[in-house]
Amino acid sequence: DSGVTQTPKHLITATGQRVTLRCSPRSGDLSVYWYQQSLDQGLQFLIQYYNGEERAKGNILERFSAQQFPDLHSELNLSSLELGDSALYFCATRTGNTGELFFGEGSRLTVL
Amino acid sequence: GQQLNQSPQSMFIQEGEDVSMNCTSSSIFNTWLWYKQDPGEGPVLLIALYKAGELTSNGRLTAQFGITRKDSFLNISASIPSDVGIYFCAGSSRGGGADGLTFGKGTHLIIQP
């Protein structure tokens, strides 16, 4: 158990809809990273927050957005969903300045 | 952007065999990490490497940070059924701080009885 909690574990929705994925980091971790994992693309970095502020952006679509709240939990919002958005979405957190990320169990999104 | 080439893409081995996989980068990394992912789970950190030439073990797993800082290797000795899964290498060109890792596409390890 990494200590990183993600909800929901599974989500099925239709094209054009909007969903919100939630992540609670390990106690004391200030950084939250979001990754997308699809079959043919591996783990793709989307965005990072540190102590409530956006710190780095990766391959995140304009239809996607994220935020980190004062209690350090984070939400990833995916809108105008397309079939290709079906994937596993992982949240990961880092303690201090090490390079080590600890991943949650992921949210599996299926867009029909 | 940074590219990581991980090989082999998949491995079919017999229980008890040793396993080797590697990652190469187009640029220099300061950190190499190896993760394992079981089906339906998130990646779990196996080994972290922070210095060129470093060799680190975790039980039957041994990983090395290449001297050129552009590659890393993971070896698993005497494989057992629970070693099945996807192994990812990951690298970072920063010394920590605000940067996500770049991941390889994974090595699928399948153990035949």
Side-chain angles (χ1 to χ4, degrees):
Chain A
D1 182 2
S2 67
V4 179
T5 304
Q6 287 188 249
T7 57
K9 288 204 181 322
H10 301 277
L11 193 53
I12 301 174
T13 188
T15 54
Q17 295 298 306
R18 172 189 167 97
V19 299
T20 296
L21 310 179
R22 182 188 168 103
C23 169
S24 294
R26 301 187 314 166
S27 176
D29 285 355
L30 301 178
S31 284
V32 170
Y33 297 75
W34 285 97
Y35 282 83
Q36 179 191 57
Q37 185 179 38
S38 51
L39 278 175
D40 57 346
Q41 291 295 321
L43 277 159
Q44 298 290 315
F45 169 61
L46 295 178
I47 197 164
Q48 180 210 354
Y49 278 79
Y50 179 84
N51 203 19
E53 293 190 3
E54 181 184 305
R55 185 63 69 94
K57 246 181 179 175
N59 301 321
I60 188 166
L61 299 172
E62 284 192 14
R63 299 183 286 109
F64 296 179
S65 65
Q67 53 184 330
Q68 186 178 27
F69 295 86
D71 66 353
L72 300 178
H73 91 270
S74 178
E75 292 181 356
L76 179 67
N77 301 298
L78 314 175
S79 61
S80 302
L81 286 168
E82 302 175 359
L83 295 177
D85 297 328
S86 296
L88 270 167
Y89 291 85
F90 287 104
C91 164
T93 70
R94 185 208 298 261
T95 299
N97 256 350
T98 72
E100 301 162 24
L101 291 184
F102 294 89
F103 286 80
E105 293 190 347
S107 293
R108 180 176 292 281
L109 173 66
T110 302
V111 182
L112 300 176
Chain B
Q2 293 165 342
Q3 302 256 341
L4 274 188
N5 294 310
Q6 185 170 350
S7 65
Q9 196 171 9
S10 57
M11 299 184 75
F12 295 80
I13 63 165
Q14 303 281 342
E15 185 178 347
E17 285 185 25
D18 295 344
V19 172
S20 289
M21 59 191 78
N22 69 84
C23 268
T24 58
S25 166
S26 57
S27 54
I28 289 173
F29 281 155
N30 291 326
T31 302
W32 281 99
L33 306 174
W34 285 92
Y35 287 84
K36 182 188 179 219
Q37 185 177 22
D38 291 328
E41 310 256 338
V44 173
L45 182 64
L46 299 173
I47 293 179
L49 302 158
Y50 295 102
K51 206 158 62 166
E54 182 181 354
L55 187 72
T56 299
S57 292
N58 177 6
R60 293 176 297 103
L61 277 61
T62 301
Q64 183 160 24
F65 192 139
I67 292 290
T68 65
R69 294 166 67 192
K70 290 186 176 182
D71 57 7
S72 180
F73 305 85
L74 175 70
N75 296 315
I76 306 172
S77 62
S79 58
I80 60 177
S82 61
D83 292 333
V84 165
I86 306 175
Y87 292 80
F88 291 99
C89 62
S92 173
S93 58
R94 301 204 184 173
D99 194 5
L101 297 172
T102 300
F103 280 82
K105 293 204 170 181
T107 294
H108 293 243
L109 180 60
I110 298 151
I111 298 179
Q112 298 167 325

